[in-house]
Amino acid sequence: MSVDNLKNKDSNRVVVTDAAVITGLGNNLESLWQGLMANETAIRPITRFPVDQDFYKAKIAAHIDDLEAANNRSMLEHLLDRLVLELGSVPSDSALITATIKAGADNLESFCRGGQANFQDVLLSSIANIVGPKLGLICNGICISASCASSTIAVAHGAALIESGRAEVVLVCCADLITEYHFSGFSALKALSPFPCRPFDRDRKGLSLGEGAAALLLMNADRARRENRNRLGSLLGWGISNDATHITAPAKSGRGLVQAVDQALKTAKRKPEHITAINAHGTGTVYNDLMELNAFRQVFGERKVPMYSIKGAIGHTLGAAGAIEVALGLKALSSRVIPLTVGFANPEKGAEGQVSSESQPVSGDYLLTTNSGFGGVNAALVLGR
Amino acid sequence: MTAASMGCGRDHERFTMPWGPLPEINPSDMFKMPYPNFRRMDKYSRLGLTAIGLALIDAGLSEWTRERKIGIVASTVYGCLETDVDYYKTVIPDRGANASPALFSYTLANSYLGEAAIRFGLTGTNYVLTEQHPTGLAGLQTALDHIIRGDVEQILGGVCDVGCPQIFGKPGIVPPGAVFFMIEKSFARKISSYGELSMDEKGGIIYNGSEIKDIAILVQKCLDGFHHA
């Protein structure tokens, strides 16, 4: 198969026809959207495991209150059950691409404590093992694991499969949970904020953890038309890079993110001036947010592209973050307004006039969404209205 | 890196991937410059990083002065599960007071790819994937896809697994070991190539015109072609 054959056949244009999202702000995309627009946050005191110890400076997270684990299964199964209910019909010939960083980490904890638990839920392949049979999918699913850019890369991989003509339909499905496992680790790295995170605010102190799941149905434009599918928007470009600098800290220069954004724009055949808004990773850690401001300044120059982060509302949902943000980014493009950044009040230097505590109207057709994570990974997507 | 041997393709005529303990890795044999971080890494990262280093040596690309836009895609079944268990065992005794940040840093399946990126200056596409029904070829297939699409000119594709931790009481379904291939879009360097990879309409791997279903068979075919040419 030659490279020329893969280039932008219109019939293989990638459209998103369905999106399901479950977060601390509710069981669907609309409740997340309404919550964001109302400046709500799901970040609240943790009750799932004990956090009263003095060494935990943070005692909050954005969890989904009524998730349950039954019959030795992980809470992941309950979360995915709910997610699947939110989806419309999924063709059985859909390729399945999943994403997570730690799948059923609650079951891993049970094993380590000598308890009984379902082993399959611990594996990275668990989301495919749960979702594939539920939806009657016939293909061999895969799971992308690339820290906090996992589902962003899963979306990119799915779009590439469709664009190359090797799949007509791809279901991207991702999830991550809040567990003591994650909480203690981020706490040990001193990455957690004692108060709900405040992305791009000069008084930010770190991130807040969240949990969630998302499913996106990607389809080539021809098939979507033939099946009379709803069209939420399109995926036009994608780029992935590595900082090659540090395992847990971003490259201060932002060079890795710049490389990923440049590649995404190139794939989308768009220029920086076409981008109307940015969904930033915006974790609320000192170094991540500075890195992003630095990177976007290099890509967009002095132009203040309207930008937001949703992590002040639903926390950092780890491997699920990217796909949740794609669903929300498409909603923002179609609504011609981007959400406010919950928790943002006093702009970090460089964020003035770009990030806002109020929703911002936007008029263009293209939104950039990016995620970066441990291991130096960066991923960027260009979404179209 | 397998239970049978470790090294570069150009130094071996036979390849197998049997079950058994993996050879000890001495970083001073592998890396010219001191590498104190290596001993701090978990077993999975040391295995993957070493195999990537050997593939780069074999391809004549281990030495560098400027970062290269070389990607890495690796498949795994168990990833860093053993490290996950080791980490959580630091959390349990004192309800998190002694949670190890050093171990937590390696509780991501892709951490070692970040280490490889730093050590060898690789800034391209970089992630891990897991198949629902493992074939061992997914990392290489996806790496090849990135080449065909033009995302990168050079990329490493392979597989890395250390096995299933005993705590789960399950036999592993893949032998421990790591194998990486360096693949390039247009080959114009002094070093000789092992052959040509392409992809069929369904995404299957074709090596010098033959369909490949198993990564160990692909390695042996490469060695046969190279040493008996």
Side-chain angles (χ1 to χ4, degrees), chain A residues 221-244:
Chain A
D222 268 1
R223 175 128 173 207
R225 204 175 298 118
R226 280 200 314 272
E227 294 190 5
N228 201 23
R229 295 269 178 170
N230 191 17
R231 197 183 131 154
L232 306 179
S234 52
L235 281 161
L236 299 170
W238 43 89
I240 309 164
S241 71
N242 195 282
D243 289 342

Side-chain angles (χ1 to χ4, degrees), chain B residues 30-209:
Chain B
M30 272 291 307
F31 306 103
K32 283 188 175 175
M33 302 290 284
Y35 197 3
N37 272 359
F38 190 82
R39 296 230 182 259
R40 289 181 210 141
M41 290 176 206
D42 64 328
K43 194 161 76 177
Y44 169 71
S45 295
R46 290 201 299 264
L47 173 66
L49 184 67
T50 301
I52 287 169
L54 289 167
L56 288 167
I57 290 169
D58 204 37
L61 291 167
S62 61
E63 294 182 20
W64 57 284
T65 49
R66 295 183 62 181
E67 287 165 342
R68 292 85 51 94
K69 196 182 162 188
I70 296 175
I72 318 174
V73 183
S75 61
T76 187
V77 174
Y78 300 108
C80 56
L81 205 47
E82 191 170 309
T83 319
D84 296 347
V85 171
D86 290 343
Y87 164 71
Y88 196 63
K89 284 183 174 174
T90 71
V91 176
I92 294 170
D94 296 297
R95 298 171 65 206
N98 295 315
S100 166
L103 271 176
F104 187 69
S105 301
Y106 291 103
T107 60
L108 290 164
N110 64 307
S111 291
Y112 79 97
L113 301 187
E115 291 283 6
I118 295 166
R119 187 67 192 180
F120 301 110
L122 315 176
T123 65
T125 296
N126 176 313
Y127 58 93
V128 163
L129 57 83
T130 298
E131 294 173 282
Q132 193 177 356
H133 307 294
T135 66
L137 285 170
L140 185 62
Q141 278 171 320
T142 308
L144 183 57
D145 198 35
H146 281 292
I147 289 277
I148 291 170
R149 289 182 45 74
D151 297 336
V152 285
E153 300 277 317
Q154 297 173 304
I155 191 164
L156 290 142
V159 59
C160 177
D161 260 299
V162 288
C164 185
Q166 283 189 341
I167 190 172
F168 299 110
K170 303 278 182 188
I173 59 169
V174 291
V179 181
F180 281 88
F181 294 83
M182 181 75 218
I183 53 179
E184 304 192 16
K185 187 171 183 178
S186 51
F187 195 77
R189 294 193 290 116
K190 285 181 183 171
I191 199 162
S192 54
S193 158
Y194 285 105
E196 193 173 304
L197 286 178
S198 57
M199 195 173 267
D200 66 21
E201 289 289 319
K202 292 180 177 173
I205 291 180
I206 307 295
Y207 170 72
N208 286 350

Side-chain angles (χ1 to χ4, degrees), chain A residues 138-218:
Chain A
I138 53 179
C139 72
N140 180 12
I142 63 165
C143 175
I144 304 277
S145 192
S147 62
C148 305
S150 297
S151 57
T152 325
I153 295 176
V155 171
H157 191 66
L161 270 183
I162 291 173
E163 197 199 55
S164 68
R166 282 205 293 281
E168 286 191 350
V169 193
V170 175
L171 179 68
V172 176
C173 194
C174 56
D176 263 310
L177 299 169
I178 294 170
T179 61
E180 185 183 44
Y181 178 98
H182 296 107
F183 192 83
S184 60
F186 281 100
S187 176
L189 289 172
K190 304 191 187 319
L192 296 181
S193 172
F195 47 78
C197 71
R198 304 176 67 170
F200 300 108
D201 190 288
R202 76 168 86 104
D203 299 320
R204 67 193 180 283
K205 295 283 186 199
L207 62 85
S208 299
L209 284 175
E211 64 189 352
L216 300 169
L217 192 64
L218 317 183

